[in-house]
Amino acid sequence: MQFEGELLMKEYVKMMTDMIVLCATLAISLSFWIISLTASTYYGNLQPVSPLRWLFSVLVPLMLTVRAVKRKSLDHTGALGAMLVGFILTMANLSFFSSLLAFFVTSSKLTRWKGEVKKRIDAEYKEGGQRNWVQVFCNGGVPTELALLYMIETGPGEMPVDFGKQYTATWMCLSLLGALACSTGDTWASEVGPILSKRPPRLVTSWKEVPAGTNGGVTPVGLAASLLGGMTVGVAYFITQLLFVRDLNLAAPQWPIIVYGAVAGLVGSLLDSLLGATMQYSGYDESIGKVVNYESSTSKRICGKPILDNNAVNLFSSILIALVLPGVAWGFWPQQ
Protein backbone atom coordinates (compact mmCIF):
# COMPACT_ATOMS: atom_id res chain seq x y z
CA MET A 1 0.00 0.00 0.00
CA GLN A 2 2.81 2.38 0.86
CA PHE A 3 4.50 1.70 -2.49
CA GLU A 4 1.24 2.35 -4.36
CA GLY A 5 0.78 5.59 -2.44
CA GLU A 6 4.27 6.76 -3.36
CA LEU A 7 3.63 5.86 -7.00
CA LEU A 8 0.38 7.82 -7.04
CA MET A 9 2.11 10.78 -5.43
CA LYS A 10 4.83 10.74 -8.11
CA GLU A 11 2.21 10.63 -10.85
CA TYR A 12 0.36 13.50 -9.20
CA VAL A 13 3.55 15.57 -8.98
CA LYS A 14 4.29 14.89 -12.66
CA MET A 15 0.77 15.92 -13.64
CA MET A 16 0.96 19.12 -11.59
CA THR A 17 4.38 19.92 -13.05
CA ASP A 18 3.01 19.53 -16.56
CA MET A 19 0.10 21.82 -15.77
CA ILE A 20 2.35 24.45 -14.20
CA VAL A 21 4.77 24.46 -17.14
CA LEU A 22 1.94 24.58 -19.66
CA CYS A 23 0.24 27.44 -17.82
CA ALA A 24 3.56 29.28 -17.55
CA THR A 25 4.16 28.82 -21.28
CA LEU A 26 0.72 30.16 -22.10
CA ALA A 27 1.24 33.09 -19.73
CA ILE A 28 4.61 33.94 -21.29
CA SER A 29 3.17 33.76 -24.80
CA LEU A 30 0.28 36.02 -23.84
CA SER A 31 2.62 38.47 -22.11
CA PHE A 32 4.81 38.75 -25.21
CA TRP A 33 1.74 39.48 -27.28
CA ILE A 34 0.44 42.11 -24.85
CA ILE A 35 3.85 43.78 -24.45
CA SER A 36 4.38 43.85 -28.20
CA LEU A 37 0.90 45.25 -28.79
CA THR A 38 1.40 47.93 -26.12
CA ALA A 39 4.84 48.90 -27.41
CA SER A 40 3.63 49.13 -30.99
CA THR A 41 0.78 51.38 -29.89
CA TYR A 42 3.03 53.62 -27.78
CA TYR A 43 6.05 53.91 -30.07
CA GLY A 44 4.42 53.21 -33.39
CA ASN A 45 7.47 51.32 -34.69
CA LEU A 46 6.97 47.71 -33.63
CA GLN A 47 4.61 45.24 -35.25
CA PRO A 48 2.35 43.51 -32.72
CA VAL A 49 2.50 39.74 -32.51
CA SER A 50 -0.69 38.26 -33.89
CA PRO A 51 -2.73 35.79 -31.83
CA LEU A 52 -2.12 33.25 -34.59
CA ARG A 53 1.64 33.51 -34.12
CA TRP A 54 1.65 32.96 -30.38
CA LEU A 55 -0.89 30.16 -30.73
CA PHE A 56 1.34 28.53 -33.36
CA SER A 57 4.31 28.99 -31.01
CA VAL A 58 2.51 27.02 -28.31
CA LEU A 59 0.67 24.32 -30.22
CA VAL A 60 3.35 23.22 -32.69
CA PRO A 61 6.12 22.65 -30.09
CA LEU A 62 3.54 20.92 -27.89
CA MET A 63 2.51 18.51 -30.66
CA LEU A 64 6.13 17.82 -31.58
CA THR A 65 7.15 17.06 -28.00
CA VAL A 66 4.17 14.74 -27.47
CA ARG A 67 5.17 12.83 -30.59
CA ALA A 68 8.80 12.76 -29.44
CA VAL A 69 7.84 11.25 -26.08
CA LYS A 70 5.81 8.54 -27.80
CA ARG A 71 8.79 7.71 -30.02
CA LYS A 72 11.14 7.79 -27.01
CA SER A 73 13.22 10.63 -28.43
CA LEU A 74 12.61 12.56 -25.19
CA ASP A 75 11.84 11.50 -21.66
CA HIS A 76 9.30 13.27 -19.46
CA THR A 77 11.62 16.04 -18.31
CA GLY A 78 13.14 16.46 -21.76
CA ALA A 79 9.70 17.04 -23.24
CA LEU A 80 9.02 19.91 -20.85
CA GLY A 81 12.36 21.51 -21.64
CA ALA A 82 11.92 21.02 -25.38
CA MET A 83 8.48 22.61 -25.29
CA LEU A 84 9.87 25.71 -23.59
CA VAL A 85 12.82 25.96 -26.00
CA GLY A 86 10.54 25.40 -28.97
CA PHE A 87 8.07 28.04 -27.86
CA ILE A 88 10.68 30.76 -27.39
CA LEU A 89 12.47 30.10 -30.69
CA THR A 90 9.20 29.89 -32.62
CA MET A 91 7.87 33.09 -31.10
CA ALA A 92 11.10 34.94 -31.86
CA ASN A 93 11.65 34.02 -35.50
CA LEU A 94 10.26 31.33 -37.79
CA SER A 95 13.75 30.82 -39.21
CA PHE A 96 14.88 29.91 -35.69
CA PHE A 97 12.01 27.44 -35.48
CA SER A 98 12.81 25.77 -38.81
CA SER A 99 16.48 25.42 -37.84
CA LEU A 100 15.53 23.89 -34.50
CA LEU A 101 13.09 21.57 -36.25
CA ALA A 102 15.78 20.44 -38.70
CA PHE A 103 18.13 19.71 -35.81
CA PHE A 104 15.56 17.86 -33.74
CA VAL A 105 13.97 15.75 -36.48
CA THR A 106 17.18 14.67 -38.19
CA SER A 107 19.03 14.00 -34.93
CA SER A 108 16.15 11.94 -33.54
CA LYS A 109 15.95 9.83 -36.69
CA LEU A 110 19.70 9.26 -36.78
CA THR A 111 19.73 8.30 -33.10
CA ARG A 112 17.19 5.53 -33.78
CA TRP A 113 18.99 4.46 -36.97
CA LYS A 114 20.96 1.20 -36.58
CA GLY A 115 20.12 1.07 -32.89
CA GLU A 116 21.12 -2.57 -32.52
CA VAL A 117 24.61 -1.81 -33.80
CA LYS A 118 24.99 1.19 -31.51
CA LYS A 119 24.04 -0.90 -28.48
CA ARG A 120 27.15 -3.00 -29.07
CA ILE A 121 29.35 0.11 -29.16
CA ASP A 122 27.85 2.61 -26.73
CA ALA A 123 27.56 1.60 -23.08
CA GLU A 124 25.06 4.42 -22.45
CA TYR A 125 22.86 3.91 -25.50
CA LYS A 126 19.12 4.34 -24.93
CA GLU A 127 16.43 3.32 -27.39
CA GLY A 128 15.33 6.40 -29.34
CA GLY A 129 17.73 8.61 -27.39
CA GLN A 130 15.36 9.46 -24.51
CA ARG A 131 17.02 12.83 -23.97
CA ASN A 132 16.34 14.47 -20.61
CA TRP A 133 16.03 18.13 -19.66
CA VAL A 134 19.77 18.49 -19.06
CA GLN A 135 20.56 17.33 -22.59
CA VAL A 136 17.82 19.54 -24.02
CA PHE A 137 19.10 22.68 -22.33
CA CYS A 138 22.77 21.91 -23.03
CA ASN A 139 21.89 21.81 -26.73
CA GLY A 140 19.08 24.36 -26.73
CA GLY A 141 19.98 26.68 -23.88
CA VAL A 142 22.29 28.94 -25.89
CA PRO A 143 19.80 29.33 -28.79
CA THR A 144 17.03 30.05 -26.29
CA GLU A 145 18.97 32.83 -24.60
CA LEU A 146 19.90 34.31 -27.97
CA ALA A 147 16.27 34.17 -29.10
CA LEU A 148 15.23 36.10 -26.00
CA LEU A 149 17.93 38.72 -26.64
CA TYR A 150 16.79 38.92 -30.26
CA MET A 151 13.22 39.67 -29.18
CA ILE A 152 14.45 42.36 -26.81
CA GLU A 153 16.53 43.89 -29.60
CA THR A 154 14.09 43.77 -32.53
CA GLY A 155 10.87 42.19 -31.32
CA PRO A 156 9.42 38.91 -32.64
CA GLY A 157 9.58 38.54 -36.40
CA GLU A 158 11.73 37.58 -39.35
CA MET A 159 14.46 39.78 -40.82
CA PRO A 160 17.27 39.51 -43.39
CA VAL A 161 20.74 38.53 -42.27
CA ASP A 162 22.55 41.75 -43.11
CA PHE A 163 25.47 43.16 -41.10
CA GLY A 164 25.23 46.48 -42.90
CA LYS A 165 21.65 47.28 -41.88
CA GLN A 166 21.00 45.18 -38.77
CA TYR A 167 24.40 44.51 -37.24
CA THR A 168 23.42 43.43 -33.71
CA ALA A 169 20.37 41.43 -34.73
CA THR A 170 22.32 39.73 -37.52
CA TRP A 171 25.03 38.79 -35.05
CA MET A 172 22.39 37.20 -32.80
CA CYS A 173 20.82 35.33 -35.72
CA LEU A 174 24.15 33.87 -36.81
CA SER A 175 25.11 33.05 -33.22
CA LEU A 176 21.89 31.11 -32.80
CA LEU A 177 22.26 29.39 -36.16
CA GLY A 178 25.87 28.52 -35.34
CA ALA A 179 24.93 26.98 -31.99
CA LEU A 180 22.21 24.82 -33.57
CA ALA A 181 24.46 23.82 -36.47
CA CYS A 182 27.20 22.91 -33.99
CA SER A 183 24.85 20.61 -32.07
CA THR A 184 23.53 19.10 -35.29
CA GLY A 185 26.98 18.50 -36.73
CA ASP A 186 28.18 16.82 -33.56
CA THR A 187 25.08 14.62 -33.37
CA TRP A 188 25.31 13.58 -37.01
CA ALA A 189 28.99 12.75 -36.63
CA SER A 190 28.35 10.70 -33.47
CA GLU A 191 25.45 8.77 -34.97
CA VAL A 192 26.74 8.21 -38.51
CA GLY A 193 30.52 7.96 -38.14
CA PRO A 194 30.75 4.78 -36.02
CA ILE A 195 28.25 2.97 -38.27
CA LEU A 196 29.44 3.81 -41.77
CA SER A 197 33.15 4.23 -41.17
CA LYS A 198 35.17 1.20 -42.25
CA ARG A 199 38.21 2.21 -40.24
CA PRO A 200 38.61 2.87 -36.50
CA PRO A 201 38.41 6.53 -35.45
CA ARG A 202 41.54 8.52 -34.75
CA LEU A 203 42.00 10.68 -31.68
CA VAL A 204 41.86 14.32 -32.75
CA THR A 205 44.76 15.31 -30.48
CA SER A 206 47.29 12.61 -31.38
CA TRP A 207 45.81 11.00 -34.51
CA LYS A 208 46.22 7.54 -32.97
CA GLU A 209 43.61 4.88 -33.65
CA VAL A 210 41.12 4.44 -30.80
CA PRO A 211 38.08 2.19 -30.27
CA ALA A 212 34.72 3.31 -31.63
CA GLY A 213 32.86 5.41 -29.08
CA THR A 214 35.96 7.15 -27.71
CA ASN A 215 35.42 10.81 -26.90
CA GLY A 216 37.52 12.85 -29.31
CA GLY A 217 37.68 10.15 -31.96
CA VAL A 218 37.02 11.34 -35.52
CA THR A 219 36.59 9.67 -38.89
CA PRO A 220 36.34 11.11 -42.42
CA VAL A 221 32.76 9.84 -42.58
CA GLY A 222 31.91 11.52 -39.29
CA LEU A 223 33.45 14.82 -40.34
CA ALA A 224 31.55 14.74 -43.63
CA ALA A 225 28.36 14.00 -41.68
CA SER A 226 28.97 16.96 -39.37
CA LEU A 227 29.36 19.27 -42.36
CA LEU A 228 26.15 17.94 -43.94
CA GLY A 229 24.31 18.22 -40.63
CA GLY A 230 25.25 21.86 -40.21
CA MET A 231 24.38 22.50 -43.85
CA THR A 232 20.93 20.97 -43.32
CA VAL A 233 20.23 23.46 -40.55
CA GLY A 234 21.53 26.27 -42.76
CA VAL A 235 19.28 25.18 -45.64
CA ALA A 236 16.25 25.15 -43.32
CA TYR A 237 17.06 28.69 -42.17
CA PHE A 238 17.67 29.88 -45.73
CA ILE A 239 14.41 28.46 -47.11
CA THR A 240 12.43 30.06 -44.30
CA GLN A 241 14.08 33.38 -45.08
CA LEU A 242 12.95 33.09 -48.70
CA LEU A 243 9.40 32.27 -47.66
CA PHE A 244 8.77 34.77 -44.89
CA VAL A 245 11.18 37.72 -45.12
CA ARG A 246 10.06 40.71 -47.14
CA ASP A 247 12.22 42.85 -49.43
CA LEU A 248 15.11 40.39 -49.58
CA ASN A 249 16.15 42.05 -52.84
CA LEU A 250 17.11 45.13 -50.80
CA ALA A 251 19.24 43.17 -48.34
CA ALA A 252 22.57 41.40 -48.52
CA PRO A 253 22.55 37.95 -50.20
CA GLN A 254 21.18 35.21 -47.95
CA TRP A 255 22.81 32.17 -49.59
CA PRO A 256 25.92 32.40 -47.33
CA ILE A 257 23.65 31.17 -44.53
CA ILE A 258 23.97 27.67 -45.99
CA VAL A 259 27.76 27.85 -46.10
CA TYR A 260 27.83 29.30 -42.60
CA GLY A 261 25.72 26.42 -41.28
CA ALA A 262 28.02 23.86 -42.88
CA VAL A 263 31.14 25.50 -41.44
CA ALA A 264 29.54 25.75 -37.99
CA GLY A 265 28.63 22.06 -38.11
CA LEU A 266 32.13 20.96 -39.07
CA VAL A 267 34.06 23.32 -36.79
CA GLY A 268 31.66 22.68 -33.93
CA SER A 269 32.12 18.93 -34.26
CA LEU A 270 35.91 19.29 -34.27
CA LEU A 271 35.77 21.58 -31.24
CA ASP A 272 33.52 19.11 -29.45
CA SER A 273 35.99 16.33 -30.25
CA LEU A 274 38.91 18.40 -28.97
CA LEU A 275 37.15 19.11 -25.68
CA GLY A 276 36.06 15.49 -25.41
CA ALA A 277 39.58 14.18 -25.99
CA THR A 278 41.13 16.40 -23.34
CA MET A 279 38.48 17.12 -20.70
CA GLN A 280 36.22 14.06 -20.83
CA TYR A 281 37.37 10.67 -19.59
CA SER A 282 37.33 7.73 -21.99
CA GLY A 283 38.32 4.24 -20.94
CA TYR A 284 37.91 0.73 -22.28
CA ASP A 285 36.05 -1.54 -19.87
CA GLU A 286 37.18 -5.09 -20.54
CA SER A 287 34.35 -6.57 -18.48
CA ILE A 288 31.73 -5.33 -20.97
CA GLY A 289 33.95 -4.79 -24.01
CA LYS A 290 32.90 -1.17 -24.51
CA VAL A 291 34.23 2.34 -24.12
CA VAL A 292 32.95 4.02 -20.94
CA ASN A 293 33.00 7.58 -19.61
CA TYR A 294 33.79 6.69 -16.00
CA GLU A 295 36.80 5.38 -14.13
CA SER A 296 36.58 1.91 -12.61
CA SER A 297 38.77 -1.00 -11.60
CA THR A 298 37.98 -2.81 -14.85
CA SER A 299 38.51 0.12 -17.25
CA LYS A 300 41.75 1.17 -18.89
CA ARG A 301 42.19 4.86 -19.68
CA ILE A 302 42.31 5.84 -23.34
CA CYS A 303 42.32 9.64 -23.13
CA GLY A 304 40.96 12.67 -21.34
CA LYS A 305 40.47 13.70 -17.74
CA PRO A 306 37.19 13.44 -15.81
CA ILE A 307 36.51 17.19 -15.81
CA LEU A 308 33.45 17.51 -18.05
CA ASP A 309 30.68 15.13 -19.05
CA ASN A 310 29.19 14.88 -22.52
CA ASN A 311 26.47 17.45 -21.82
CA ALA A 312 28.98 20.03 -20.60
CA VAL A 313 31.16 19.44 -23.67
CA ASN A 314 28.16 20.05 -25.93
CA LEU A 315 27.28 23.21 -24.03
CA PHE A 316 30.79 24.69 -24.15
CA SER A 317 31.14 23.86 -27.84
CA SER A 318 27.92 25.65 -28.75
CA ILE A 319 28.87 28.66 -26.60
CA LEU A 320 32.27 29.01 -28.29
CA ILE A 321 30.79 28.68 -31.78
CA ALA A 322 28.07 31.22 -30.95
CA LEU A 323 30.64 33.70 -29.65
CA VAL A 324 33.38 33.37 -32.26
CA LEU A 325 31.94 32.32 -35.60
CA PRO A 326 29.70 35.36 -36.29
CA GLY A 327 32.75 37.60 -35.98
CA VAL A 328 34.57 35.50 -38.56
CA ALA A 329 31.52 35.55 -40.83
CA TRP A 330 31.32 39.35 -40.59
CA GLY A 331 34.66 39.65 -42.33
CA PHE A 332 33.54 37.51 -45.27
CA TRP A 333 29.82 38.25 -45.52
CA PRO A 334 28.88 39.87 -48.86
CA GLN A 335 27.30 43.31 -48.72
CA GLN A 336 24.40 44.74 -50.68
Side-chain angles (χ1 to χ4, degrees):
M1 291 294 293
Q2 183 178 358
F3 175 76
E4 292 180 357
E6 291 178 355
L7 188 62
L8 287 173
M9 179 58 69
K10 289 181 180 179
E11 292 296 326
Y12 176 76
V13 170
K14 286 183 178 180
M15 182 183 68
M16 292 303 298
T17 302
D18 289 347
M19 292 179 64
I20 291 171
V21 172
L22 181 58
C23 290
T25 304
L26 289 170
I28 292 171
S29 65
L30 280 170
S31 66
F32 272 120
W33 180 39
I34 293 170
I35 291 171
S36 176
L37 187 63
T38 303
S40 64
T41 303
Y42 184 79
Y43 293 105
N45 59 352
L46 291 176
Q47 294 296 324
V49 180
S50 67
L52 181 62
R53 186 182 184 100
W54 71 257
L55 189 62
F56 179 86
S57 301
V58 172
L59 293 181
V60 173
L62 179 61
M63 290 187 294
L64 290 172
T65 51
V66 169
R67 177 179 172 81
V69 171
K70 291 181 179 179
R71 296 177 67 85
K72 297 184 178 181
S73 297
L74 297 168
D75 70 4
H76 187 78
T77 63
L80 296 176
M83 191 168 68
L84 181 61
V85 171
F87 162 71
I88 293 175
L89 266 67
T90 307
M91 176 63 72
N93 189 318
L94 291 178
S95 297
F96 297 171
F97 164 72
S98 64
S99 301
L100 177 66
L101 185 64
F103 160 64
F104 180 69
V105 171
T106 60
S107 298
S108 298
K109 288 185 177 296
L110 286 176
T111 299
R112 291 192 298 271
W113 178 63
K114 299 287 186 179
E116 293 300 322
V117 178
K118 292 172 183 174
K119 283 182 182 179
R120 299 196 295 266
I121 301 173
D122 188 354
E124 299 180 358
Y125 178 80
K126 295 179 181 178
E127 183 183 354
Q130 300 181 38
R131 292 174 173 84
N132 57 29
W133 71 271
V134 176
Q135 293 169 302
V136 168
F137 283 116
C138 282
N139 285 287
V142 173
T144 301
E145 183 176 355
L146 288 166
L148 289 171
L149 292 173
Y150 172 87
M151 284 192 282
I152 294 172
E153 174 72 19
T154 66
E158 293 69 50
M159 55 160 285
V161 175
D162 190 339
F163 281 105
K165 296 178 180 178
Q166 294 282 352
Y167 178 81
T168 304
T170 293
W171 188 288
M172 293 177 186
C173 290
L174 291 182
S175 290
L176 187 145
L177 175 60
L180 286 175
C182 171
S183 298
T184 308
D186 176 60
T187 303
W188 279 43
S190 301
E191 302 295 344
V192 174
I195 304 300
L196 296 184
S197 181
K198 297 181 180 180
R199 295 182 179 181
R202 291 184 177 272
L203 196 63
V204 70
T205 52
S206 64
W207 213 242
K208 293 181 180 179
E209 288 190 356
V210 290
T214 301
N215 296 307
V218 298
T219 63
V221 174
L223 293 176
S226 66
L227 186 141
L228 291 175
M231 183 182 293
T232 300
V233 174
V235 168
Y237 196 109
F238 174 70
I239 291 175
T240 311
Q241 292 288 95
L242 296 182
L243 293 175
F244 294 102
V245 178
R246 299 177 181 177
D247 300 326
L248 277 181
N249 59 310
L250 302 177
Q254 301 296 289
W255 62 263
I257 291 173
I258 300 175
V259 179
Y260 179 86
V263 172
L266 177 60
V267 175
S269 178
L270 286 170
L271 181 59
D272 188 281
S273 297
L274 180 62
L275 290 174
T278 55
M279 305 186 74
Q280 189 177 0
Y281 176 84
S282 291
Y284 187 79
D285 193 330
E286 296 180 353
S287 64
I288 60 175
K290 297 178 182 179
V291 175
V292 295
N293 297 324
Y294 53 84
E295 296 178 284
S296 69
S297 58
T298 57
S299 65
K300 182 179 179 181
R301 179 180 177 274
I302 300 173
C303 65
K305 297 181 179 180
I307 300 174
L308 302 176
D309 63 4
N310 191 59
N311 295 322
V313 167
N314 292 338
L315 177 61
F316 280 115
S317 299
S318 63
I319 289 174
L320 290 172
I321 290 296
L323 288 174
V324 175
L325 210 57
V328 177
W330 176 45
F332 295 94
W333 208 269
Q335 301 297 320
Q336 173 66 17

